[in-house]
Amino acid sequence: MNVLPGLYNMGNTCFANSVLQCLSHTRVFREYCRLGKHSKNCFSDIAKYKFVQSVDSFPVEKLERLPAIQAVLSKTTKFCSFCIIESHIRGLLDEKKNGQMQVRPIGIYLLF
Ligand SMILES: [Zn+2]
């Protein structure tokens, strides 16, 4: 199995990062997320927000956009934590293709 990009410690996030790393390197779970099997059948409408899939690769200088993103997400009544994790893992797979070595798991910590 390919090793995915590492996660930056964004300040006291090392414990959560270790859980995310374990999940993203669990073969069956990774494949489930890669294929989007959860979000295809989820009640949530969060998957329609395309920026959720790309938020982890936001350059630091664009972080000021995140409050606006949070504002949009706070209006949804169909928020789903699993969809966020699925998007994160799919994003890691994309970043691996792009040669990215580390990812800031911004989406995980700001969208929950
Ligand atoms: Zn969901």
Side-chain angles (χ1 to χ4, degrees):
M1 179 173 1
N2 293 332
V3 176
L4 295 176
L7 303 177
Y8 280 98
N9 183 342
M10 299 178 59
N12 294 325
T13 61
C14 55
F15 299 102
N17 282 358
S18 65
V19 172
L20 288 171
Q21 289 286 50
C22 288
L23 287 174
S24 63
H25 287 85
T26 301
R27 187 183 311 269
V28 174
F29 189 77
R30 181 195 290 190
E31 189 65 7
Y32 184 79
C33 290
R34 185 185 69 78
L35 296 172
K37 288 189 173 184
H38 167 78
S39 58
K40 286 177 184 171
N41 299 308
C42 182
F43 65 91
S44 173
D45 59 353
I46 198 165
K48 74 181 181 185
Y49 296 107
K50 297 297 182 192
F51 61 79
V52 170
Q53 294 177 4
S54 61
V55 72
D56 284 353
S57 58
F58 269 21
V60 173
E61 61 271 16
K62 292 189 177 179
L63 289 179
E64 68 273 6
R65 291 175 53 190
L66 288 174
I69 293 170
Q70 287 178 296
V72 169
L73 290 176
S74 69
K75 292 177 183 170
T76 182
T77 58
K78 298 177 181 175
F79 184 83
C80 174
S81 301
F82 198 106
C83 284
I84 299 295
I85 292 173
E86 182 183 275
S87 291
H88 170 74
I89 291 176
R90 294 176 80 177
L92 286 177
L93 292 165
D94 287 344
E95 294 301 328
K96 173 72 176 173
K97 288 180 197 167
N98 296 333
Q100 187 74 19
M101 299 302 292
Q102 281 191 309
V103 170
R104 289 175 177 79
I106 297 166
I108 291 289
Y109 300 120
L110 294 182
L111 301 180
F112 275 132

